[in-house]
Amino acid sequence: MAQDCSIVEDLLPLYKNQTLQAHTIEFIEQHLANCEHCRQLATSEQSREHHLPMKRTVTFFHLVFIVLSFMFAINSSLLGNHKSFVVSYAIFGCLTYFFYKNIWIVFAISFVPVFVWAIIHNINNPLYVTNYSFTEIGTLLIGASYIAILHTIFALIGAAFAIMLRRLKK
């Protein structure tokens, strides 16, 4: 019965959310009718709020990849008048998608470093900011967003290419 208990314990959150198939619900209800321990778990407040935590760990390779993305943003930015950022960001987006397999991470890793770099690069530029008014800071943020979005578009194009390659392999 211990094996059934562990199965029922794992399925209780899904059972309470009513996201199981009919035969699985029947199995759980039969088990709950015969097992006091699992019945207490099913009715306890703790199990209602119990959610399995997602394991989110940052490995050494993730940190290296993030640092490299910041360095890449600095070296291949539109701000440095590098025209090669179009191809390099497409390749960067493709590689990022292959590494993380998540389009939102491609977006974040291509947008955030360029956005931060654009602000740092232009905060002391007298063309953007002279007296640190709300208007000038707003203009700086809009300009940084525009540059970051341009880079992100090319990274997302590269990620789309990676998605197509993954689907072709299947």
Side-chain angles (χ1 to χ4, degrees), residues 3 6 22 43 45 47 51 54 70 74 77 86 92 94 98 101 115 118 134-135 139 142 147 154 158:
Q3 183 180 10
S6 64
T43 59
E45 197 63 35
S47 69
H51 299 286
M54 286 184 61
F70 271 96
I74 292 167
S77 176
V86 172
F92 175 68
C94 184
F98 278 133
K101 294 174 184 59
F115 181 76
F134 285 117
T135 305
T139 303
I142 290 170
I147 290 170
F154 294 111

Side-chain angles (χ1 to χ4, degrees), residues 103-124:
I103 199 73
W104 292 108
I105 292 176
V106 173
F107 178 83
I109 247 176
S110 61
F111 183 87
V112 173
V114 175
F115 181 76
V116 169
W117 175 244
I119 291 172
I120 291 170
H121 184 71
N122 289 320
I123 194 80
N124 293 320

Side-chain angles (χ1 to χ4, degrees), residues 39-118:
R39 194 169 38 251
Q40 286 177 352
L41 279 177
T43 59
S44 73
E45 197 63 35
Q46 179 185 13
S47 69
R48 284 189 193 125
E49 297 176 6
H50 177 70
H51 299 286
L52 296 175
M54 286 184 61
K55 187 175 181 181
R56 295 189 181 257
T57 58
V58 177
T59 66
F60 174 73
F61 294 110
H62 289 105
L63 290 175
V64 167
F65 202 77
I66 290 167
V67 168
L68 287 175
S69 71
F70 271 96
M71 292 173 58
F72 187 68
I74 292 167
N75 288 325
S76 68
S77 176
L78 181 63
L79 295 173
N81 291 327
H82 294 282
K83 305 273 189 275
S84 64
F85 84 94
V86 172
V87 173
S88 59
Y89 259 81
I91 293 170
F92 175 68
C94 184
L95 293 176
T96 304
Y97 185 81
F98 278 133
F99 187 75
Y100 289 104
K101 294 174 184 59
N102 187 325
I103 199 73
W104 292 108
I105 292 176
V106 173
F107 178 83
I109 247 176
S110 61
F111 183 87
V112 173
V114 175
F115 181 76
V116 169
W117 175 244

